[in-house]
């Protein structure tokens, strides 16, 4: 298992979502999903709306490509809620 080295939630969340993308491109969807979820979990605790949006867009795209509509819809709703709060 890969260890993410930073103590900063923003950095770790950002790194996790990018690592997930790399796993997705190598078609290791199980690892990709694990790191997308880790990234989301970390980034939901920070105040950086832009990073949260990027993570939500990434996981929504992942679930769309892997044909998992329930999970995609769940994160689409979370994205909409985030965007409503930031207006």
């Amino acid at each position: 298992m890969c260890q993410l080295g930073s103590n900063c939630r923003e950095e770790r969340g950002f790194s996790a979502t990018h690592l997930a993308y790399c796993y997705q491109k190598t078609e290791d969807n199980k690892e990709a999903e694990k790191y997308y979820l880790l990234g989301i979990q970390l980034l939901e605790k920070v105040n950086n709306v832009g990073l949260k949006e990027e993570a939500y867009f990434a996981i929504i795209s992942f679930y769309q490509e892997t044909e998992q509509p329930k999970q995609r819809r769940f994160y689409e709703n979370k994205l909409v809620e985030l965007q409503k709060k930031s207006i």
Side-chain angles (χ1 to χ4, degrees):
M1 179 176 163
C2 182
Q3 295 292 320
L4 299 175
S6 175
N7 288 328
C8 175
R9 281 190 183 130
E10 284 185 8
E11 221 176 279
R12 288 176 58 212
F14 183 74
S15 295
T17 56
H18 280 71
L19 183 57
Y21 178 79
C22 293
Y23 276 118
Q24 182 181 354
K25 292 303 166 191
T26 62
E27 299 180 7
D28 188 346
N29 290 334
K30 185 175 180 179
E31 286 295 302
E33 183 174 30
K34 179 174 88 174
Y35 282 103
Y36 275 126
L37 293 173
L38 175 63
I40 293 286
Q41 177 185 358
L42 292 165
L43 291 173
E44 284 180 335
K45 297 176 184 175
V46 301
N47 293 325
N48 189 325
V49 175
L51 279 180
K52 288 180 194 180
E53 284 180 336
E54 184 178 331
Y56 285 139
F57 281 125
I59 201 166
I60 289 165
S61 176
F62 170 75
Y63 283 134
Q64 184 171 346
E65 287 180 24
T66 57
E67 299 177 0
Q68 299 180 62
K70 286 183 182 180
Q71 290 88 340
R72 186 192 81 226
R73 218 169 299 117
F74 176 78
Y75 286 102
E76 286 172 340
N77 290 337
K78 287 182 96 62
L79 176 62
V80 168
E81 286 301 312
L82 175 67
Q83 291 173 333
K84 283 181 183 178
K85 287 179 185 178
S86 66
I87 292 177

